[in-house]
């Protein structure tokens, strides 16, 4: 009898999908359809999470590919007539994929029977602090925003990329993931760069496309509930000594995230140029990314790109002396060729007037930095999530402190402890990437390391990680690079006595 009952229980369990339509019908009848859209959205989200948890590699590639164009795609769907009740939940696709990758990371960590190391503990400590500020917003700051949307977005923006770092590090990713990821980054970077150059060549046409065809500003007002600076123009300009210059934002519609986004594909293109198998197409991509970076006129991103080039001249696994010398000549020639573009775009004036009274932008940066220092000193426990750049500027009805510095921004929102944890986490992550680049000959690993150093320095000048397409893509790749090097080290693919490095892939 017990065995018959167990067999019946197993049969009922395997047949549960047939009960789903009945349960859904009963729910719709009981609620009279009031929550049907939310229920469907929740069901779709659960399916995405389950699929993503089984294929974290493809989920990460989808995130890298679609995050840059998410806003324009959703705006286009809304313009084509998709109801707002569907468009709003669709914006959560990236969170559903992210949760699936995190589940895969937890599963991989448990299967490998690892122990938490300093990088894991530092990341989890930082996430825990941010989570406390999100769950109990008024615990430390009486004036912190209490809106659930602000707190949720604040947590995702401040801690989501750290969770992806851990998830990608511990998830069971295929051996060729870094090669596939670098190819996706290059393809997306080429598209973003080409659109940025088109925007500079035909700014009116690009503006008409975004405003009149995609109707992004209408989407921004009606779906995102934010007020744009203009209802007819998405172009951004820089001003030096009374002269106005166009700064391209490409699909981001903002030159700052566009510039920082280009750092990673630029680093990959540089690394490809340093290896013997490079082609003319690789050199063309490097030139394309360089021009696109110049046209954004984001000096912090250009500093990050310069750091990438400096690191490229240093000896590393897989780099021959001849290749490094060739790259040095190519880099010098590229600087000469980019001088006319820099002069025409206004970048040369912005650089030469940096720190002078002619450059109002530089003066604003310096003032914002010291405002951020004073804000952190005045309230070391922070003002709460959504009280600084990005989210604070979008939702706050009053004034917010914008420090023009990623680390100070963390301190303003979540206090000195979180800022110290974030700085320490960044240093540990970069050290692990340096360790990984010394042990594997992989273009993706080495390029991620050089881009990480550049972005970390650029974050001292501007908030580099306020855009999901920048922070989620880079930190996820950093975790995957560290994880791939650890797995290669564990498998001992090459005898330590004959080689100091472990060949994995050169992309």
């Amino acid at each position: 009898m017990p065995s018959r009952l167990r067999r019946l229980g197993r049969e009922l369990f395997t047949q549960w999908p047939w009960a789903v339509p009945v349960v859904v019908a009963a729910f719709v009848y009981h609620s009279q359809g009031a929550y049907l859209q939310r229920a469907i959205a929740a069901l779709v989200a659960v399916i995405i999470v389950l699929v993503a948890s089984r294929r974290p590699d493809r989920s990460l590639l989808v995130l890298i590919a679609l995050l840059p164009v998410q806003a324009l795609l959703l705006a286009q769907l809304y313009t084509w007539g998709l109801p707002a009740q569907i468009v709003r939940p669709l914006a959560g696709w990236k969170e559903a994929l992210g949760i699936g990758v995190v589940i895969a990371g937890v599963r991989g960590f448990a299967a490998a029977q690892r122990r938490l190391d300093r990088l894991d503990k530092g990341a989890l400590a930082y996430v825990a602090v941010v989570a406390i500020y999100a769950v109990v917003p008024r615990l430390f700051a009486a004036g912190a925003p209490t809106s659930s949307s602000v707190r949720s977005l604040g947590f995702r923006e401040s801690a989501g990329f750290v969770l992806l770092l851990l998830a990608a590090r511990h998830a069971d990713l295929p051996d060729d993931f870094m090669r596939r990821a670098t190819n996706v980054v290059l393809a997306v970077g080429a598209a973003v760069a080409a659109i940025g150059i088109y925007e500079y060549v035909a700014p009116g046409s690009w503006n008409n496309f975004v405003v009149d065809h995609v109707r992004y500003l209408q989407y921004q007002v009606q779906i995102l509930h934010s007020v744009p600076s203009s209802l007819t123009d998405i172009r951004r300009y820089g001003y030096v000594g009374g002269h106005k210059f166009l700064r391209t934002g490409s699909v981001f519609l903002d030159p700052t995230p566009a510039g920082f986004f280009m750092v990673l594909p630029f680093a990959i293109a540089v690394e490809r140029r340093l290896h013997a198998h490079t082609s003319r197409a690789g050199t063309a991509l490097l030139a394309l990314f360089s021009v696109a970076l110049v046209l954004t006129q984001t000096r912090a991103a250009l500093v990050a790109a310069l750091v990438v080039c400096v690191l490229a001249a240093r000896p590393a696994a897989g780099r021959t002396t001849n290749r490094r010398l060739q790259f040095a000549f190519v880099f010098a020639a590229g600087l000469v060729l980019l001088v006319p573009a820099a002069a025409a775009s206004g970048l040369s004036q912005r650089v030469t007037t940096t720190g002078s009274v002619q450059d109002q932008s530089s003066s604003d940066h310096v003032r914002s930095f010291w405002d951020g220092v004073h804000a952190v000193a005045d309230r070391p426990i922070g003002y709460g999530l959504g009280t600084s750049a990005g989210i604070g500027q979008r939702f706050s009805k009053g004034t917010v402190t914008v420090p023009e510095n990623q680390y100070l921004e963390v301190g303003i929102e979540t206090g000195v402890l979180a800022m110290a944890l974030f700085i320490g986490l960044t240093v540990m992550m970069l050290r692990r990437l340096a360790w990984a680049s010394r042990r594997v000959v992989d273009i993706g690993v080495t390029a991620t390391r050089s881009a990480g150093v550049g972005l970390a320095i650029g974050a001292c000048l501007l908030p580099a990680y306020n855009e999901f397409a920048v922070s989620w893509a880079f930190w996820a790749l950093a975790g995957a690079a560290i994880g791939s090097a650890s797995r290669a080290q564990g498998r001992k693919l090459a005898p330590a006595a004959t080689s100091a490095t472990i060949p994995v892939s050169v992309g």
Side-chain angles (χ1 to χ4, degrees), residues 354-479:
T354 298
S356 70
V357 294
Q358 298 182 42
D359 188 3
Q360 184 62 38
S361 176
S362 296
S363 301
D364 291 341
H365 282 310
V366 173
R367 184 175 62 254
S368 297
F369 173 81
W370 287 111
D371 287 344
V373 172
H374 295 149
V376 174
D378 292 340
R379 193 169 183 82
I381 58 175
Y383 295 84
L385 289 173
T387 57
S388 188
I391 301 174
Q393 293 170 302
R394 174 180 169 185
F395 291 102
S396 178
K397 297 180 180 179
T399 59
V400 296
T401 302
V402 181
E404 304 286 10
N405 180 296
Q406 188 74 59
Y407 310 103
L408 285 176
E409 183 180 315
V410 173
I412 290 171
E413 294 196 349
T414 49
V416 173
L417 175 60
M419 181 174 68
L421 287 172
F422 182 65
I423 293 173
L425 174 62
T426 302
V427 172
M428 284 191 290
M429 179 265 294
L430 294 176
R431 292 185 64 182
R432 289 298 179 89
L433 284 174
W435 169 86
S437 65
R438 289 193 300 268
R439 279 161 175 75
V440 296
V441 182
D442 190 302
I443 283 177
V445 174
T446 309
T448 302
R449 186 252 175 165
S450 59
V453 176
L455 289 172
I457 294 175
C460 297
L461 307 173
L462 282 175
Y465 302 128
N466 280 2
E467 176 65 42
F468 287 109
V470 179
S471 59
W472 283 31
F474 166 71
W475 285 73
L477 280 185

Side-chain angles (χ1 to χ4, degrees), residues 62-379:
V62 171
L63 283 171
I64 294 170
L66 296 185
L67 277 175
V69 295
Q70 171 191 234
L72 291 181
L73 284 179
L74 292 177
Q76 186 65 78
L77 291 175
Y78 183 62
T79 300
W80 284 339
L82 198 65
Q85 295 85 349
I86 298 178
V87 173
R88 289 194 184 97
L90 275 179
W93 68 272
K94 60 183 180 299
E95 285 79 10
L97 287 178
I99 292 173
V101 175
V102 170
I103 293 174
V106 173
R107 187 184 297 133
F109 179 81
Q113 297 181 345
R114 302 188 184 99
R115 291 185 178 182
L116 296 176
D117 59 14
R118 286 189 299 174
L119 181 62
D120 296 323
K121 293 177 182 177
L124 291 175
Y126 170 75
V127 171
V129 173
V130 177
I132 292 174
Y133 277 78
V135 174
V136 194
R138 296 289 174 88
L139 179 63
F140 302 107
T146 57
S147 169
S148 59
S149 59
V150 174
R151 288 184 289 151
S152 172
L153 183 57
F155 178 81
R156 285 174 282 151
E157 184 179 279
S158 300
F161 60 88
V162 178
L163 288 174
L164 280 180
L165 168 77
L166 295 177
R169 179 192 181 186
H170 295 296
D172 186 16
L173 299 176
D175 292 339
D176 66 341
F177 174 77
M178 289 303 297
R179 178 186 59 80
R180 293 158 58 198
T182 53
N183 289 336
V184 172
V185 171
L186 285 176
V188 177
V192 173
I195 292 173
I197 294 174
Y198 172 75
E199 177 187 359
Y200 183 80
V201 174
S205 177
W206 173 249
N207 184 73
N208 291 338
F209 173 76
V210 175
V211 175
D212 299 330
H213 294 277
V214 179
R215 297 182 183 177
Y216 176 77
L217 297 176
Q218 177 181 338
Y219 164 83
Q220 192 175 3
V221 173
Q222 298 179 2
I223 302 298
L224 301 181
H225 302 300
S226 60
V227 181
S229 57
S230 171
L231 294 176
T232 59
D233 198 343
I234 52 90
R235 289 167 289 190
R236 299 292 184 93
Y237 298 93
Y239 299 87
V240 178
H243 298 283
K244 183 170 73 171
F245 302 99
L246 177 68
R247 301 180 60 195
T248 60
S250 189
V251 295
F252 298 96
L253 311 181
D254 188 336
T256 298
F260 281 120
F261 175 82
M262 293 306 305
V263 173
L264 183 57
F266 176 80
I268 296 173
V270 167
E271 204 60 41
R272 279 176 173 259
R273 187 65 183 79
L274 286 167
H275 286 75
H277 74 285
T278 190
S279 62
R280 292 180 180 178
T283 303
L285 278 178
L286 182 57
L288 179 69
F289 298 153
S290 301
V291 173
L293 269 165
V294 168
L295 294 180
T296 66
Q297 295 194 35
T298 304
R299 287 170 290 188
L302 289 168
V303 169
L306 182 61
V307 170
V308 169
C309 293
V310 171
L311 292 176
R314 300 179 62 184
R319 297 176 184 169
T320 64
T321 303
N322 289 337
R323 277 288 164 180
R324 288 190 288 114
L325 289 175
Q326 289 178 13
F327 176 76
F329 286 118
V330 170
F331 177 64
L335 287 179
V336 173
L337 294 175
L338 285 175
V339 167
S345 66
L347 176 63
S348 58
Q349 289 92 329
R350 281 173 57 84
V351 173
T352 56
T353 58
T354 298
S356 70
V357 294
Q358 298 182 42
D359 188 3
Q360 184 62 38
S361 176
S362 296
S363 301
D364 291 341
H365 282 310
V366 173
R367 184 175 62 254
S368 297
F369 173 81
W370 287 111
D371 287 344
V373 172
H374 295 149
V376 174
D378 292 340
R379 193 169 183 82

